[in-house]
Amino acid sequence: MKAEYIGLEKINGPLVFIKTPKDISFNEQVELVLKNGEVRIGNVILLDKDITAIQVYEGSNGINLNGTKTVLKGKSLEIKLSEDMLGRVFNGIGEPIDGLGEVNSDIKRDINGSAINPVARKYPRNYIETGISSIDGLFSLIRGQKLPIFSGSGLPHNELAEKIIRDSNITGEGKFAVVFGMMGVEYETASFFRKSFEESGALSKVVIFQNLSNDPSIERILTPRVALTCAEYLAFDLDYQVLVVLTDMTAYAESLREISSLKGEIPSRKGYPGYLYSDLASIYERAGMILGKEGSITQIPILTMPNDDISNPIPDTTGYITEGQIVLSRELFQKGIEPAINILDSLSRLMKDGIGKDYTREDHKKISDQLFSSYSKVQDVRALAKVLGENDLSDMDRLYLKFGDEFEKRFINQNKDERRNISETLDLGLEILEILPKSEWDKFN
Amino acid sequence: MGYKYITKVNGPVIVASGDADFSMHDIVLVGNLKLLGEVINLNGQDAIIQVYEDTSGLKIGEEVEGTDAPLSLTLAPGIIGNVFDGIQRPLHVLRNIEGDFISRGLNIDSIDTEKKWKYTPIAKVGEKITKGSFIGEVKETQSITNKIMYSKDKEVELIEVANEGEYTVNDIIAKVKDKQGNIENITMVQKWPVRMQRGYKKRIVSSEPLITGQRIIDSVFPIAKGGTAAIPGGFGTGKTVLQHQLAKWSDADIIVYIGCGERGNEMTEVLEDFPKLLDPRTNRPLMERTVLIANTSNMPVAAREASIYTGITIAEYYRDMGYNVAVMADSTSRWAEALREISARLEEMPAEEGFPSYLPSRLSEFYGRAGMVENYNDTTGSITIIGAVSPQGGDFSEPVTQNTKRFIHVFWALDRELAYQRHYPAVNWMISYSEYAQRLEDWYIDNVSVDFYEYRKRIIELLGEENSLLEISKVVGKDVLQDNKKLVLRACQSIRSGFLMQNSMDDVDTYVPLEKQYRMMQTIIMLYDASSKLIDKGIPLSEINELGYFDEYSKLKFNIKNDEIYKFNEIDEKYKNGLKRLEDEYRYHIID
């Protein structure tokens, strides 16, 4: 028998307050039944002996104080899981919206998940070839890694994510699936991805959870959790190699801020709640590999940096949790370089153990370090050239300028449909390094 | 004892009301699941409690049971080599019981109570025993002998001693009698409140360095045993790699590595690497001297707050036996954020950037637990604390970095520009400092060489000069500099790539003994001085560069193995002779 209570005390944005019923528990799922019979899902985020705050995921539009019924579900929010979810489309809280009916399954999991015991983790070492030179050569993606894309509004992060999904040989020997979580994404973006999956024939391997920009913002709090619960099931119960793409994490964090301020919490940086780090970690850390299990979760969250500022709290906290980052550059984008990846700011922490003799090629690290280091010198020379003019530069400095230009035009820049394997990428890197005399190859010592 | 009842739940913080008399920092069992919590505030009938586990499912009116005891650690053989969460629950055991994911409400022993240890008595019947006295010992690992100590602050007499043999930690291994005739059973276990500092007889000013095998540290910014250091750096600058390097190669007897709110995979990396790596001094696996505290970013925030204290208390326990312990805390910023998160839930008035006003005093208490001491049992032990700081936005002016700076004496500042150049460890030599450098000079003179500090000084001076030259050349280009200035740049380029940069992935370069560090400094300074003389005589720098010595120097760190230090003599000879020949040729040409 489910307990039901009639009437609300107060409504404040997506938060509704009720007199604390007897059996309600913290973080419990509730259903609000509106006068017209419509049902909204919410959960308990603050429990006091007199009053209880519930966040309503589909927003509080049309909810009134007197006629609304609160139904306690006696458990936290769960979703049904099944292999049949592959190829399906769900909304941001995990309800099917593709007209194909409910998911049939007895397996239900709490969407909040639990932390993987650190001693149960397997250290990720398997290199994934994406076919993109800058990523493969300079910040390799490793299976089980969480590697976000930091972008700015108007930059081609979606195209990059799409290319990674399309061209990566993430599969290895196992089964492959993509779990796609969209938070506050434009309709055009959603259909861009859908179309790309259709064209590449991958649609049957993709599970989509979509919260569009015109859907209730609070729903976004659930979307990554629902998506990751599905991914964990596919990876650790069914042995899939799962690639999870979450976009846009900035929209997610903004919803979190919205709720926090409605709750009257004390803000820390830029109005974000003090628990932003812990909250984002509870999403990003749901990636990785587990000892004795075949499957893996590789996570590529995408976020747009407000005002292209990497020190904004969202990219900043993200970078401290994830295992590196791929940063897009407006400057390169304007130069027409694609993918417009900001080489110096990008990084893959797991690369060091996943490249080299047994994984890619023995000289990979040297080439990568040399390209980085030489390209960082290019920036100094360019700054100097602005002051002195190119004519007054030394011969060596001019070689660096040439190297920088070629590196951008030939190595970073890559045709949309061009896929370079790791050997091609490394050979190309060496070829461009040849512009510089060997005495400048300090990483080849 | 007694019960209060839940009246409010707000994330990890709950309020319980009722008649029961709880004390501050007492452990309580919360709700039907008996989740572990700690009393952090008392107000009339209300107790505010931080809960060390996820609070989902708690209901108003569920009972909160008092235990009348503060959060305490179990200190006994079996700690070394183990992996604990922030409140000393053994993660391997948790995994065996509940699987790959961490669940809740499981109260288990921190250490193995079944395992039998080979115990050897030290003290004899009739001996007077006081706080800290050694009663017996157990070989905890091949590298570490655990001394069983008397833990109470009184004088007692040993009246019964167990024979040498196999015992569990809970077996009685001795009996003592106090002056009133009360008899007390002694086991290998001590319970110690995690927030309480363990005492010592007196502090000692340490003049011995913690040798790390890392050149930028040992030779340039050394740290004393018992000292405090901070490693601040934005993400991607290599804090964790440097912490791992220090945990691997420091000449401490025991390493306590606290993974506080960091990545799960980083702990996994340590767990995979350390058992395979050998301690250069003992030739035993590093895991045999390491304790890991792993409370990753997605584990409960209250336990993250506690993890720092758990780590430092374990360190003090081994210090009391006379060991040199090094504590690596990665990252203290995550700990500060845990304080902030809980403070916000308590609706306390925030100070800077939302951090509570007691942030500086907590940081000071933590770093204050470092030091070299004379123990009650007259042994000498030390705790060195090395804390990573993750400044928000990579900006060192934020509150955690700034407040930390007040309480530490070594500052190894990591720099994004250096990381861009793949210069690791990316310690920026212009803003880093060591306040111990002066105090440690005598040690280096006695143990390495009388002129070690001479060369150190020269290297630092050259790098300082390089810095100002680079500033100038940013505006006017390098070409207009005179040859003697260009030589400084050339030499410093070799110092950077050949000395300051150190490759943690390379078998030879990952750990470098002091003797080799010294010879490396000596060679580059000799090469610089000799070249400088030639330039004064009008020989162009390009001719000197042609010899290739500055290039070759950068490779010496790999080419001369750590046990082939004598080869530096051959190198020095070669450089001297080569430069001499150049000088002669040049003189000949001029005459010609």
Side-chain angles (χ1 to χ4, degrees):
Chain A
M1 218 4 233
K2 285 169 190 162
E4 296 183 358
Y5 300 89
I6 297 188
L8 308 174
E9 287 294 303
K10 188 167 90 172
I11 303 175
N12 184 5
L15 295 189
V16 304
F17 296 82
I18 59 171
K19 275 213 177 91
T20 301
K22 211 170 107 244
D23 269 329
I24 199 162
S25 61
F26 183 69
N27 215 4
E28 179 173 357
Q29 185 192 348
V30 296
E31 280 176 6
L32 295 179
V33 184
L34 275 55
K35 264 211 291 217
N36 62 6
E38 193 193 329
V39 177
R40 306 251 173 104
I41 293 175
N43 82 325
V44 176
I45 55 168
L46 180 71
L47 194 58
D48 197 314
K49 63 181 188 302
D50 303 317
I51 203 139
T52 294
I54 295 168
Q55 59 184 1
V56 186
Y57 289 113
E58 292 133 307
S60 55
N61 255 351
I63 297 186
N64 79 352
L65 290 179
N66 294 324
T68 306
K69 205 162 61 177
T70 308
V71 183
L72 307 185
K73 306 294 281 184
K75 54 183 171 34
S76 45
L77 197 57
E78 292 177 333
I79 59 163
K80 282 188 185 171
L81 296 164
S82 152
E83 196 164 9
D84 298 338
M85 294 171 92
L86 291 167
R88 302 278 315 263
V89 183
F90 302 84
N91 68 6
I93 54 176
E95 296 165 344
I97 50 169
D98 51 4
L100 297 173
E102 288 290 316
V103 172
N104 274 323
S105 174
D106 298 334
I107 299 167
K108 284 179 169 181
R109 298 264 163 88
D110 184 340
I111 61 153
N112 293 304
S114 309
I116 301 176
N117 187 327
V119 304
R121 280 183 184 269
K122 182 157 79 183
Y123 192 71
R125 290 177 194 276
N126 294 65
Y127 156 80
I128 297 174
E129 189 176 274
T130 65
I132 301 168
S133 285
S134 43
I135 297 181
D136 291 348
L138 303 173
F139 15 90
S140 314
L141 179 63
I142 305 293
R143 190 189 297 159
Q145 184 172 20
K146 36 191 184 291
L147 190 65
I149 299 175
F150 289 5
S151 183
S153 37
L155 293 179
H157 44 269
N158 293 322
E159 286 72 11
L160 179 61
E162 189 264 342
K163 194 166 158 62
I164 294 175
I165 298 170
R166 182 158 44 94
D167 279 351
S168 295
N169 66 345
I170 193 168
T171 352
E173 303 86 55
K175 301 181 278 184
F176 174 52
V178 175
V179 175
F180 209 92
M182 293 183 227
M183 290 83 75
V185 164
E186 300 290 322
Y187 177 76
E188 285 78 12
T189 309
S191 55
F192 162 77
F193 279 110
R194 188 100 57 95
K195 195 159 150 259
S196 143
F197 296 145
E198 265 167 25
E199 278 168 8
S200 62
L203 201 57
S204 63
K205 294 174 183 168
V206 183
V207 191
I208 296 175
F209 295 92
Q210 75 178 29
N211 162 280
L212 298 181
S213 48
N214 54 339
D215 290 332
S217 68
I218 181 154
E219 202 178 282
R220 285 165 209 159
I221 303 274
L222 292 188
T223 312
R225 297 190 162 82
V226 173
L228 285 162
T229 306
C230 173
E232 279 170 354
Y233 174 71
L234 292 173
F236 302 132
D237 288 49
L238 303 179
D239 296 342
Y240 276 87
Q241 310 301 332
V242 186
L243 177 65
V244 180
V245 179
L246 299 171
T247 180
D248 173 344
M249 288 305 290
T250 304
Y252 168 84
E254 281 164 353
S255 292
L256 201 66
R257 176 166 69 177
E258 193 179 324
I259 300 291
S260 166
S261 91
L262 288 170
K263 275 161 83 182
E265 290 172 340
I266 295 166
S268 59
R269 268 196 302 165
K270 297 221 164 163
Y272 289 98
Y275 48 81
L276 179 68
Y277 179 85
S278 302
D279 188 277
L280 288 176
S282 74
I283 293 172
Y284 298 140
E285 276 288 326
R286 290 171 82 174
M289 303 176 84
I290 291 180
L291 290 167
K293 303 234 165 153
E294 291 295 316
S296 65
I297 297 180
T298 308
Q299 231 189 72
I300 303 189
I302 300 172
L303 57 88
T304 45
M305 300 181 281
N307 200 21
D308 290 355
D309 176 12
I310 198 170
S311 67
N312 175 283
I314 305 165
D316 189 48
T317 32
T318 298
Y320 276 122
I321 303 164
T322 53
E323 284 137 356
Q325 67 278 337
I326 296 171
V327 185
L328 296 190
S329 153
R330 197 168 296 278
E331 194 194 330
L332 285 185
F333 181 62
Q334 283 161 351
K335 276 191 188 173
I337 307 285
E338 250 189 283
I341 297 179
N342 178 333
I343 300 299
L344 294 178
D345 276 333
S346 302
L347 169 81
S348 164
R349 289 167 193 275
L350 299 186
M351 175 177 178
K352 60 180 170 37
D353 298 302
I355 61 164
K357 204 167 62 184
D358 301 330
Y359 303 94
T360 56
R361 225 168 75 177
E362 198 164 4
D363 55 358
H364 189 159
K365 187 173 160 31
K366 280 183 188 172
I367 295 176
S368 153
D369 283 354
Q370 191 61 58
L371 286 169
F372 258 110
S373 158
S374 301
Y375 187 60
S376 85
K377 278 190 195 150
V378 170
Q379 313 307 315
D380 296 342
V381 177
R382 282 180 180 166
L384 187 63
K386 272 190 195 151
V387 183
L388 294 182
E390 275 189 40
N391 288 337
D392 284 341
L393 291 180
S394 67
D395 292 345
M396 184 65 87
D397 285 349
R398 256 179 290 203
L399 285 179
Y400 267 104
L401 284 186
K402 177 152 185 269
F403 164 80
D405 290 342
E406 296 274 309
F407 178 68
E408 287 170 1
K409 278 191 203 122
R410 292 172 55 204
F411 190 88
I412 307 180
N413 196 30
Q414 191 167 348
N415 193 302
K416 197 168 165 296
D417 298 312
E418 186 186 0
R419 191 184 187 289
R420 297 186 195 138
N421 69 31
I422 185 65
S423 239
E424 288 164 346
T425 289
L426 295 177
D427 289 343
L428 180 62
L430 274 176
E431 194 186 315
I432 297 171
L433 277 173
E434 296 281 352
I435 295 171
L436 301 171
K438 285 272 159 42
S439 59
E440 294 295 301
W441 295 29
D442 54 336
K443 308 293 170 192
F444 277 78
N445 285 335
Chain B
M1 290 300 204
Y3 296 91
K4 287 184 189 281
Y5 300 89
I6 299 178
T7 56
K8 185 176 177 177
V9 183
N10 181 12
V13 173
I14 68 154
V15 181
S17 290
D19 298 332
D21 197 18
F22 289 178
S23 309
M24 274 297 273
H25 295 302
D26 267 5
I27 281 297
V28 292
L29 302 172
V30 178
N32 302 336
L33 281 169
K34 297 201 178 300
L35 306 179
L36 216 53
E38 182 182 5
V39 178
I40 54 172
N41 201 324
L42 288 167
N43 180 10
Q45 296 252 306
D46 290 346
I48 299 179
I49 292 156
Q50 64 174 355
V51 184
Y52 289 119
E53 300 174 86
D54 180 27
T55 51
S56 296
L58 290 180
K59 292 179 181 172
I60 299 294
E62 281 188 34
E63 59 189 34
V64 175
E65 183 187 344
T67 63
D68 258 348
L71 179 61
S72 297
L73 300 183
T74 305
L75 301 174
I79 289 177
I80 304 280
N82 221 325
V83 189
F84 300 105
D85 75 354
I87 47 175
Q88 212 202 2
R89 287 184 301 187
L91 288 174
H92 284 294
V93 180
L94 278 185
R95 182 176 181 228
N96 290 339
I97 296 175
E98 58 186 11
D100 297 331
F101 293 88
I102 292 175
S103 52
R104 299 185 289 163
L106 202 61
N107 292 318
I108 51 172
D109 290 323
S110 296
I111 53 161
D112 190 343
T113 51
E114 316 256 299
K115 178 172 173 149
K116 295 216 167 197
W117 297 92
K118 189 169 176 301
Y119 172 80
T120 314
I122 295 175
K124 298 192 175 57
V125 171
E127 268 183 48
K128 290 273 181 273
I129 296 282
T130 53
K131 186 173 179 152
S133 298
F134 294 154
I135 294 170
E137 66 183 30
V138 154
K139 204 145 185 71
E140 193 168 347
T141 67
Q142 287 295 318
S143 329
I144 301 296
T145 302
N146 188 310
K147 307 277 187 189
I148 310 300
M149 296 170 288
Y150 184 62
S151 64
K152 297 218 169 102
D153 198 3
K154 57 182 181 182
E155 191 186 288
V156 292
E157 186 192 330
L158 205 53
I159 53 167
E160 219 178 291
V161 175
N163 293 327
E164 188 168 325
E166 307 260 315
Y167 299 92
T168 70
V169 291
N170 286 326
D171 287 339
I172 294 163
I173 41 122
K175 287 185 179 173
V176 296
K177 190 171 75 177
D178 67 11
K179 286 185 181 126
Q180 288 75 40
N182 302 315
I183 292 175
E184 186 191 346
N185 293 331
I186 306 287
T187 67
M188 296 184 209
V189 177
Q190 286 187 32
K191 287 276 184 186
W192 191 269
V194 68
R195 294 184 193 280
M196 202 163 109
Q197 182 170 1
R198 288 171 66 88
Y200 45 80
K201 199 186 275 173
K202 65 170 196 240
R203 282 284 283 264
I204 302 170
V205 175
S206 160
S207 48
E208 185 186 334
L210 181 80
I211 303 300
T212 65
Q214 312 302 305
R215 290 184 291 264
I216 182 83
I217 293 176
D218 294 346
S219 292
V220 189
F221 304 112
I223 179 168
K225 285 203 171 85
T228 48
I231 309 177
F235 57 82
T237 50
K239 283 185 301 296
T240 301
V241 177
L242 184 55
Q243 285 275 33
H244 283 191
Q245 282 296 94
L246 296 174
K248 283 174 190 167
W249 308 123
S250 292
D251 71 341
D253 301 308
I254 290 168
I255 303 287
V256 180
Y257 196 99
I258 311 169
C260 173
E262 288 286 308
R263 303 174 182 88
N265 277 335
E266 283 168 2
M267 296 322 296
T268 314
E269 192 183 355
V270 173
L271 285 171
E272 285 191 9
D273 279 359
F274 279 35
K276 284 184 247 159
L277 293 168
L278 295 184
D279 182 343
R281 295 174 308 143
T282 57
N283 256 334
R284 299 292 314 170
L286 284 173
M287 210 55 207
E288 290 186 1
R289 63 160 199 179
T290 308
V291 186
L292 291 177
I293 315 286
N295 212 89
T296 56
S297 55
N298 55 342
M299 287 159 77
V301 69
R304 190 196 306 166
E305 190 267 336
S307 65
I308 288 282
Y309 297 102
T310 300
I312 195 84
T313 307
I314 287 174
E316 285 173 347
Y317 170 62
Y318 287 98
R319 174 205 65 192
D320 291 350
M321 299 173 200
Y323 287 113
N324 293 311
V325 187
V327 176
M328 318 285 161
D330 185 11
S331 148
T332 57
S333 293
R334 303 295 160 235
W335 172 60
E337 280 165 16
L339 290 178
R340 174 167 74 183
E341 196 171 324
I342 291 158
S343 164
R345 303 259 188 197
L346 297 176
E347 292 168 11
E348 292 171 339
M349 183 70 83
E352 284 172 285
E353 304 218 17
F355 286 104
S357 54
Y358 45 81
L359 173 69
S361 60
R362 294 285 172 87
L363 282 169
S364 139
E365 275 166 32
F366 169 62
Y367 285 107
R369 285 169 82 166
M372 183 171 271
V373 302
E374 190 181 319
N375 290 313
Y376 291 120
N377 51 34
D378 295 331
T379 57
T380 303
S382 71
I383 295 179
T384 311
I385 299 183
I386 298 168
V389 183
S390 320
Q392 304 165 1
D395 171 12
F396 290 175
S397 67
E398 58 89 43
V400 182
T401 317
Q402 280 309 313
N403 284 309
T404 300
K405 255 182 137 169
R406 296 162 50 202
F407 310 117
I408 49 102
H409 297 283
V410 182
F411 193 65
W412 294 314
L414 301 186
D415 184 291
R416 195 174 286 276
E417 289 297 322
L418 289 174
Y420 284 162
Q421 297 161 20
R422 292 298 181 263
H423 177 121
Y424 291 117
V427 176
N428 179 320
W429 47 91
M430 296 313 292
I431 53 175
S432 299
Y433 59 83
S434 164
E435 291 172 14
Y436 299 114
Q438 219 175 0
R439 197 201 291 170
L440 298 174
E441 182 167 0
D442 288 342
W443 189 93
Y444 280 91
I445 288 173
D446 295 343
N447 292 279
V448 194
S449 171
V450 280
D451 48 8
F452 188 95
Y453 262 54
E454 287 296 313
Y455 288 113
R456 171 179 182 270
K457 196 171 139 228
R458 291 290 309 281
I459 296 265
I460 293 173
E461 278 169 5
L462 274 176
L463 289 167
E465 194 177 349
E466 182 208 28
N467 188 55
S468 27
L469 290 173
L470 287 177
E471 288 296 314
I472 298 169
S473 64
K474 263 187 200 152
V475 184
V476 298
K478 283 175 197 166
D479 267 13
V480 301
L481 296 176
Q482 287 180 336
D483 262 6
N484 58 353
K485 302 294 180 198
K486 278 188 191 155
L487 175 66
V488 173
L489 294 183
R490 187 64 196 84
C492 284
Q493 195 184 329
S494 293
I495 292 175
R496 286 171 181 242
S497 61
F499 186 74
L500 299 175
M501 272 169 64
Q502 194 164 347
N503 187 344
S504 64
M505 305 284 285
D506 183 89
D507 290 341
V508 178
D509 208 31
T510 185
Y511 169 85
V512 179
L514 282 183
E515 178 69 15
K516 183 171 166 190
Q517 298 187 25
Y518 166 68
R519 291 296 283 110
M520 289 172 82
M521 291 197 289
Q522 202 177 31
T523 296
I524 188 68
I525 294 296
M526 182 278 292
L527 180 58
Y528 170 78
D529 285 346
S531 306
S532 186
K533 266 185 207 136
L534 263 58
I535 284 174
D536 288 345
K537 289 182 180 156
I539 298 167
L541 177 63
S542 53
E543 297 270 338
I544 297 172
N545 280 342
E546 204 96 313
L547 295 170
Y549 296 158
F550 283 108
D551 286 332
E552 189 192 52
Y553 176 79
S554 302
K555 300 173 204 165
L556 292 183
K557 61 181 176 183
F558 302 118
N559 295 346
I560 298 186
K561 308 274 178 282
N562 292 337
D563 54 359
E564 302 172 336
I565 294 165
Y566 59 89
K567 286 195 177 164
F568 278 98
N569 297 334
E570 299 162 20
I571 293 288
D572 287 353
E573 279 308 300
K574 181 171 125 190
Y575 291 177
K576 272 182 206 153
N577 294 337
L579 288 166
K580 182 85 175 58
R581 226 174 302 126
L582 178 65
E583 190 184 347
D584 292 345
E585 268 172 40
Y586 213 80
R587 191 182 294 149
Y588 174 76
H589 277 294
I590 288 170
I591 297 165
D592 196 41

